[in-house]
Amino acid sequence: FTYRDAVVVDTPILLRAYRDRIREAHSLEDRLQRAMVFTEYLDTCATELGDDVDIAWEERSGSAKRLMERLHSKELAQRTANSQ
């Protein structure tokens, strides 16, 4: 998550559908959402490259998504606990 959160601000997003969804983010929840959209964008790019992708992208992408989902769940649980 940390790496994707950092590089998203310097990565040119060429597809408008994703560029419109990747915004400046400050809260952890917003940053996680942005990183998830960025990962979706990278998935699309990897699919378009097809056999030219020389890494196990699906495995790496899946691992990153699972980590971000766990972080998001923890963030929601903490926010709920703090509001009670």
Side-chain angles (χ1 to χ4, degrees):
F1 160 71
T2 304
Y3 177 76
R4 289 170 196 247
D5 184 46
V7 300
V8 68
V9 297
D10 291 326
T11 302
I13 307 299
L14 304 176
L15 301 174
R16 172 174 241 118
Y18 292 97
R19 188 172 51 242
D20 291 344
R21 295 171 53 204
I22 295 175
R23 305 274 180 198
E24 186 172 330
H26 298 284
S27 72
L28 179 57
E29 183 176 355
D30 290 345
R31 290 170 51 214
L32 282 166
Q33 179 62 34
R34 179 179 64 185
M36 289 294 288
V37 172
F38 182 54
T39 301
E40 290 173 21
Y41 170 71
L42 295 175
D43 289 345
T44 299
C45 293
T47 299
E48 289 181 10
L49 289 172
D51 292 338
D52 291 337
V53 176
D54 194 28
I55 59 172
W57 177 256
E58 289 181 17
E59 180 182 324
R60 292 172 191 249
S61 176
S63 176
K65 288 175 186 174
R66 287 187 296 278
L67 171 64
M68 289 184 281
E69 287 168 1
R70 283 195 308 270
L71 289 170
H72 187 257
S73 294
K74 286 182 181 181
E75 169 70 10
L76 289 176
Q78 184 177 9
R79 196 169 355 125
T80 300
N82 289 342
S83 68
Q84 294 178 356

